Amino acid sequence: MMTLRHLYIFKAVTETKNFTKAAQRLYITQSAVSHAVRELEEYAGTPLFDRLSKRVQLTRSGELLLDEILPVLAACESLDGRIKNLEEQAPIHLVSSITIAIHWLPKILADFKRQWPKVAVQVEVVSAANALETLRKGKADFALLEGSVPQGPFSHASFDKYSLQMVCAPQYPCACTSMDMESFCSENLLLRETGSAIRDVLDSTLLLSGHSIRPLWVSVNSPALIEAAKAGLGIAVLPHILVKNDLEKGSLISLDVKGLSLENELFAVWHKDKYLPAPQKALLSCIIPTDTHDALGEVSIDSL
């Protein structure tokens, strides 16, 4: 079988035109050179060198072989120069929920880019459920999720949280800015879709208190719900960070629903048995503190 060793020896002989000098260049014995050339000629089924009195010279077949192998050896040498830096060349694939992608991810990636400017981070912004499924299938290195702790063969670490706000327009015809949970459930509610992290935390809280809802609007788009609330169509339940500006402007007002305090936690999630190269550890350090906790105990980025 022809190997790279055969090709490197063949190339050295073509350049030195002498078996002994080729052996000296490669730091091997002259007999090893002769043996390799003989094996290569047997494999090719034709002489590759003419043995002259004090030197060797390529045959026409040898010239053809040299033309074929030079690009191969050049590619190998190029790879040899890059192989020790493969971790810096491999892109990181990250999936993120929409809210995190808007309000947290840009700063995280800017911080990471300053540390690892040559490492590409490929981002896919999807729903929280789809983000976890992408990670589960092995099509992503990390998922940034919100809501409940993910179940399965994952490690995770919390890196922030946000509160959910019940809001409506000042002209919305509710009796007051404070109400009980039963009154809230009977209002015109403008909610995210079932399965979203925002809706899940609301539904689970209401279920535990024995209440249920029939929303007037259901949307996958939070800005659409904000506009509907501003138009006086009902009460929206959305992250405070999304409605902060409208609350400050007075186009929305905050409602206090007794017994309904909602909060979503943010997680970085990855397969627990996954090897994390240096750039991926650095990205995690940009997302979460150096030392934090998950459901299994303390997670140290340096120990991953």
Side-chain angles (χ1 to χ4, degrees), residues 87 141-142 270-281 304:
E87 288 190 349
D141 298 304
F142 300 106
W270 62 98
H271 277 280
K272 66 179 181 179
D273 296 324
K274 175 180 172 57
Y275 166 72
L276 297 181
Q280 293 188 18
K281 289 183 180 180
L304 295 174

Side-chain angles (χ1 to χ4, degrees), residues 4 8 72-86 89:
L4 282 176
Y8 276 115
V72 175
L73 296 180
C76 288
E77 290 167 4
S78 176
L79 175 59
D80 185 62
R82 301 193 312 271
I83 198 166
K84 294 182 180 179
N85 299 306
L86 288 178
Q89 300 168 48

Side-chain angles (χ1 to χ4, degrees), residues 16 42 44 48 90-91 104 110 114 119 143 170 177 194 196 199 207 216 249 255 301:
T16 61
E42 289 174 358
L48 301 173
W104 280 268
R114 283 190 286 270
V119 178
T177 58
T194 300
S196 68
R199 180 67 179 275
L207 180 64
L216 180 68
K249 292 175 183 177
L255 301 176
I301 300 299

Side-chain angles (χ1 to χ4, degrees), residues 30 52 63 99 117 139 154 166 186 201 219 254 269 272 277 279:
Q30 187 271 336
L52 307 178
E63 290 174 356
T99 302
K139 296 181 179 180
F154 305 115
M166 283 64 74
S186 66
V201 70
S219 175
S254 177
V269 186
K272 66 179 181 179

Side-chain angles (χ1 to χ4, degrees), residues 61-245:
S61 296
E63 290 174 356
L64 289 174
L65 179 61
L66 182 63
D67 289 341
E68 291 284 346
I69 71 168
L70 285 178
V72 175
L73 296 180
C76 288
E77 290 167 4
S78 176
L79 175 59
D80 185 62
R82 301 193 312 271
I83 198 166
K84 294 182 180 179
N85 299 306
L86 288 178
E87 288 190 349
E88 295 182 25
Q89 300 168 48
I92 300 172
H93 187 188
L94 183 148
V95 287
S96 172
S97 68
I98 298 169
T99 302
I100 295 175
I102 294 172
H103 296 281
W104 280 268
L105 193 54
K107 182 182 182 304
I108 289 170
L109 295 186
D111 290 344
F112 175 75
K113 201 67 178 176
R114 283 190 286 270
Q115 298 178 37
W116 294 83
K118 296 182 180 180
V119 178
V121 181
Q122 300 170 346
V123 177
E124 186 177 355
V125 180
V126 295
S127 69
N130 286 340
L132 187 60
E133 185 61 22
T134 300
L135 184 68
R136 193 185 305 276
K137 291 179 178 178
K139 296 181 179 180
D141 298 304
F142 300 106
L144 301 185
L145 307 175
E146 53 191 293
S148 58
V149 174
Q151 301 300 309
F154 305 115
S155 294
H156 67 275
S158 172
F159 64 91
D160 211 339
K161 61 181 65 175
Y162 65 78
S163 61
L164 291 170
Q165 201 99 34
M166 283 64 74
V167 296
C168 66
Q171 71 272 21
Y172 179 72
C174 60
C176 58
T177 58
S178 179
M179 63 181 68
D180 58 30
M181 205 176 300
E182 187 172 351
S183 298
F184 168 78
C185 292
S186 66
E187 292 288 343
N188 295 328
L189 299 181
L190 317 171
L191 303 178
R192 284 292 302 269
E193 77 284 6
T194 300
S196 68
I198 295 170
R199 180 67 179 275
D200 284 351
V201 70
L202 173 63
D203 286 348
S204 61
T205 302
L206 292 176
L207 180 64
L208 289 173
S209 63
H211 293 85
S212 61
I213 49 176
R214 291 185 178 180
L216 180 68
W217 275 42
V218 175
S219 175
V220 299
N221 186 278
S222 294
L225 298 177
I226 292 174
E227 293 305 314
K230 288 163 64 176
L233 300 181
I235 299 172
V237 181
L238 292 167
H240 177 74
I241 51 178
L242 293 185
V243 297
K244 179 181 177 182
N245 288 340

